[in-house]
Amino acid sequence: MKDSNFLKEHNGRLMWHPMTSPQDTIDNPPKIITGSEGVTITDIDGHKVVDGVGGLWNVNLGYSCQPVKDAMTAQLDKLPYYSTFRGTSNDAAIELSYELSEFFEPDGMSRAFFTSGGSDSVETALRLARQYHKLRGEAGRTKFLSLKKGYHGTHMGGASVNGNANFRTAYEPLLPGCFHIPAPYTYRNPFNETDPERLAQLCVQALEDEIAFQGANTIAAMIMEPILGAGGVIPPHKSFAPMVQEICNRNGILLITDEVITAYGRTGAWSGARLWGIQPDMMCTAKAITNGYFPFGAVMLGHRVVDVFEGNPSAKIGHGYTYSGHPVGAAAALACLAETKRLNVVDNAAARGDQLYAGCQALMAKYDIIGDVRGGHGLMTAIEMVSDRASKKPIDPIRAATVQEVAYQSGAMVRVSGPNLILSPPLILTEDDANILLSALDAGLAAA
């Protein structure tokens, strides 16, 4: 490994980073993370902080989860790779499909299609939705509905159903036939409605109106996050998801829940679907499925989809990835799922999530820079920063960067995305760890 001077000299110069410009990476060199332990990460200068980002919503069990590391090592020695395309499989992938069908049985899921990550899972679900309707003789059902502010990855299909222009504009024209519904976002919405239950009803009315306008027989699926994540942690009222499911079912539209963030315990429930008491037709999962230790994902499939594809010789799936069902990824996922259940992380996610949410609300009472605090459902919390509370004008990017940097120097890695400061720490976070995050945020907000 090269020394620190070499790494700093070449930082951001030969590698283009996601979600920023090459020039920004040169002007504001990224933190070089070189070590980790538990819920902490250490940079190249030896500065150690609590990771309030959880890698990228995915390191639910922290950085020292030995069972997952051991499973990967053992699998590398036994079978480091083989394809799962037609004609071959592997033992780890077969076992994982069984364990996942058991884990997601309460959500109505019984089959798995393996992918390389979240964007792949979304792309897979969108494709299978179109194929489902073709197999049923409704080839005209090709359109997709989704929520504004929603995030569904960066593939062409995912970008098309994304509800944020930051991930769309530079790559347009995107997939035709994608239409967006207002999100149940109480702080900013076109209805100027602050009551969550009333807002949920208004958003659902907009959904019904869009379906009527497009024609239900032209729509393949509705895709949504149970709690919007990257869009700024936007939890809907508890009535929202059940109303959406009822409308989709009534109109023959498949419901896809994007659970890349919410599956495996982050919300304080084992899935976002379970949190709201719904059973979608497909679930996109990834991220925490391997604790972030291996790029891997799984699309879980419900009975309506299974019944149409299975027992049908015409239902050839002309889609998949070189690394679908990768044996090392599957071994990691098996160990991760076992450890996730053993630790029963949903309880700690709920408790620590309540602590962070209450702590951020206390900070809001202290700092006018905070316009809104969202959370209350596990370890997903967001602070929306403003330059003026009355007008809700978003914070200046330089001030937002100051909050992030001072928090980092004070002991916590946090993520700023636009005006939102997002907390998504590992689900094994302790009370003391959460207090460190809150103390560092206090310092960051004071400095801005």
Side-chain angles (χ1 to χ4, degrees), residues 117-432:
S119 292
D120 284 354
S121 290
V122 167
E123 191 77 10
T124 297
L126 296 178
R127 288 187 176 212
L128 291 180
R130 282 188 169 176
Q131 187 175 5
Y132 164 88
H133 291 294
K134 285 183 170 65
L135 289 169
R136 295 182 71 250
E138 293 190 87
R141 286 185 178 264
T142 61
K143 298 173 184 174
F144 297 109
L145 302 176
S146 58
L147 296 176
K148 293 176 180 176
K149 305 295 289 185
Y151 181 77
H152 302 291
T154 56
H155 290 353
M156 216 61 174
S160 303
V161 294
N162 269 351
N164 187 323
N166 290 336
F167 311 114
R168 298 170 54 89
T169 307
Y171 311 105
E172 291 176 330
L174 296 170
L175 191 68
C178 297
F179 303 94
H180 297 77
I181 311 302
Y185 175 24
T186 52
Y187 191 61
R188 302 180 194 271
N189 62 76
F191 312 107
N192 293 316
E193 180 58 68
T194 58
D195 177 72
E197 186 171 13
R198 177 62 184 149
L199 179 58
Q201 292 168 348
L202 290 169
C203 292
V204 162
Q205 287 172 12
L207 172 62
E208 293 238 50
D209 182 69
E210 191 65 29
I211 291 170
F213 176 73
Q214 297 294 335
N217 63 349
T218 70
I219 301 169
M222 166 88 179
I223 182 168
M224 69 177 188
E225 300 162 279
I227 295 175
L228 280 70
V233 183
I234 301 172
H237 186 265
K238 64 182 179 181
S239 64
F240 180 71
M243 288 192 291
V244 170
Q245 173 155 51
E246 189 280 325
I247 291 166
C248 288
N249 289 350
R250 176 162 33 94
N251 288 283
I253 298 167
L254 294 178
L255 178 59
I256 304 165
T257 54
D258 183 339
E259 306 246 12
V260 172
I261 286 171
T262 52
Y264 309 109
R266 180 156 295 280
T267 68
W270 288 120
S271 71
R274 225 170 299 182
L275 177 69
W276 303 129
I278 63 172
Q279 290 197 337
D281 296 295
M282 288 187 263
M283 294 171 62
C284 303
T285 81
K287 288 193 184 290
I289 193 170
T290 61
N291 203 39
Y293 292 4
F294 195 94
F296 200 84
V299 178
M300 301 305 301
L301 307 164
H303 69 89
R304 280 210 293 181
V305 176
V306 172
D307 289 348
V308 166
F309 275 81
E310 294 192 355
N312 184 350
S314 300
K316 178 184 177 182
I317 299 172
H319 168 79
Y321 304 98
T322 299
Y323 299 113
S324 290
H326 193 297
V328 179
L334 280 166
C336 186
L337 190 61
E339 191 69 359
T340 296
K341 291 189 290 186
R342 186 186 74 80
L343 294 173
N344 196 35
V345 294
V346 287
D347 289 348
N348 192 62
R352 298 286 72 77
D354 288 346
Q355 180 188 353
L356 284 181
Y357 185 46
C360 289
Q361 288 176 314
L363 290 172
M364 183 175 176
K366 186 175 179 181
Y367 297 106
D368 287 344
I369 194 176
I370 300 178
D372 194 29
V373 172
R374 296 182 292 275
H377 300 282
L379 280 168
M380 300 178 67
T381 307
I383 290 173
E384 183 162 345
M385 297 179 288
V386 293
S387 57
D388 176 67
R389 270 192 184 173
S391 67
K392 300 183 181 179
K393 182 181 178 182
I395 190 173
D396 177 85
I398 295 175
R399 290 182 74 197
T402 298
V403 176
Q404 185 175 20
E405 180 59 26
V406 174
Y408 183 77
Q409 296 306 329
S410 302
M413 173 67 85
V414 298
R415 182 177 178 220
V416 170
S417 178
N420 296 309
L421 189 153
I422 297 175
L423 296 173
S424 55
L427 307 191
I428 61 167
L429 197 77
T430 66
E431 184 177 354
D432 288 344

Side-chain angles (χ1 to χ4, degrees), residues 96-111:
L96 179 60
S97 66
Y98 174 83
E99 293 295 336
L100 289 175
S101 71
E102 295 278 301
F103 184 77
F104 288 112
E105 189 275 334
D107 302 300
M109 303 291 110
S110 63
R111 303 289 189 273

Side-chain angles (χ1 to χ4, degrees), residues 51-62:
D51 182 15
V53 190
L56 198 60
W57 308 88
N58 56 344
V59 187
N60 284 12
L61 306 181

